[in-house]
Amino acid sequence: MKIGYARVSTQEQELSLQLDALKAAGCEQIYQEKITGTKKVRPELNRMMTQFRKGDAVVIWKLDRLARSLKDLVSLVNEIQEKGAELQSLHDHIDTSTSHGKFTFHIFAALAEFERDIISERTKAGLAAARARGRQGGRPKGLSQKAQHTAIIAEQLYQEGDLTVKEICQQLSISKGTFYNYLHHRGVQTGSTRGK
């Protein structure tokens, strides 16, 4: 069975061009939505991805109607093929049921891998350059001035022993993890039997 997917980015845009092309291509069922491609959650796409079966063909008007990026496209096509279905893009003349279509997607997958490697190399080079200038990457060590003040109060309340850890956290609007980090930062030994 041929299953179509049509998408436009805004409510003002029309789906009719895509729908006509998908119907002409023989799609028996068409999922459609008006939502930007940058949204991670696309309900109709997700619904379609759970509906097709082995031997089905997912038909789209253009590749950019299906995916947000090359990486996203490769991931979706792999998922479609893992379920035993194929992808056809009418405008791009791609059909993964053919050897030419499979070859095209191997190139796309290689380009996505290349793109990931370039990003990784640039990140590593940027961190190395920052270290060479005496700056460390990642989260800064130590506490901000405000956090240091809160840590002092947390230590005092803990040492006084009148409140449980839970009550101190509520008073200071911090999590238990942050509370213990503050005490550790202040060099305070904590016992496991104090209030939860």
Side-chain angles (χ1 to χ4, degrees):
M1 180 165 90
K2 287 190 174 183
I3 299 169
Y5 175 73
R7 180 186 63 79
V8 289
S9 299
T10 65
Q11 293 297 324
E12 289 77 39
Q13 291 177 312
E14 281 299 317
L15 283 160
S16 54
L17 179 67
Q18 293 178 55
L19 296 175
D20 290 347
L22 294 173
K23 284 172 190 166
C27 292
E28 296 172 44
Q29 188 173 5
I30 299 174
Y31 294 85
Q32 53 185 294
E33 55 195 345
K34 293 188 174 189
I35 191 167
T36 177
T38 58
K39 295 271 187 200
K40 284 192 177 182
V41 179
R42 288 181 276 163
E44 288 302 302
L45 175 63
N46 294 341
R47 201 155 72 86
M48 182 197 70
M49 293 297 284
T50 62
Q51 298 298 316
F52 60 80
R53 297 182 304 274
K54 188 173 183 178
D56 286 346
V58 174
V59 184
I60 54 174
W61 185 61
K62 245 178 123 177
L63 291 173
D64 65 358
R65 300 299 86 202
L66 182 66
R68 307 186 307 271
S69 65
L70 183 58
K71 178 183 168 188
D72 189 36
L73 177 66
V74 170
S75 174
L76 283 167
V77 173
N78 283 338
E79 189 178 341
I80 289 167
Q81 291 184 317
E82 280 167 14
K83 292 180 178 179
E86 299 297 341
L87 175 78
Q88 293 175 10
S89 174
L90 303 175
H91 192 269
D92 304 297
H93 306 292
I94 290 174
D95 182 349
T96 60
S97 66
T98 67
S99 55
H100 183 267
K102 283 186 174 76
F103 176 71
T104 302
F105 261 94
H106 285 304
I107 293 171
F108 284 176
L111 287 171
E113 183 76 27
F114 178 66
E115 185 179 49
R116 276 194 299 273
D117 289 346
I118 285 175
I119 290 168
S120 174
E121 284 175 21
R122 284 182 184 158
T123 302
K124 287 176 186 170
L127 288 170
R131 277 193 292 276
R133 291 192 303 272
R135 288 170 41 207
Q136 292 294 316
R139 223 171 153 175
K141 290 184 172 69
L143 301 175
S144 69
Q145 206 163 10
K146 183 181 175 186
Q148 286 177 25
H149 179 69
T150 307
I152 292 167
I153 297 168
E155 180 189 359
Q156 288 172 347
L157 292 172
Y158 182 77
Q159 300 289 18
E160 286 169 8
D162 295 330
L163 300 172
T164 66
V165 170
K166 185 177 180 181
E167 288 169 336
I168 295 170
C169 291
Q170 286 172 342
Q171 289 278 332
L172 299 175
S173 298
I174 58 174
S175 68
K176 277 189 187 178
T178 300
F179 171 77
Y180 285 112
N181 283 343
Y182 284 173
L183 292 191
H184 176 74
H185 183 77
R186 302 278 307 156
V188 177
Q189 296 295 315
T190 57
S192 56
T193 56
R194 252 313 265 281
K196 306 278 180 190

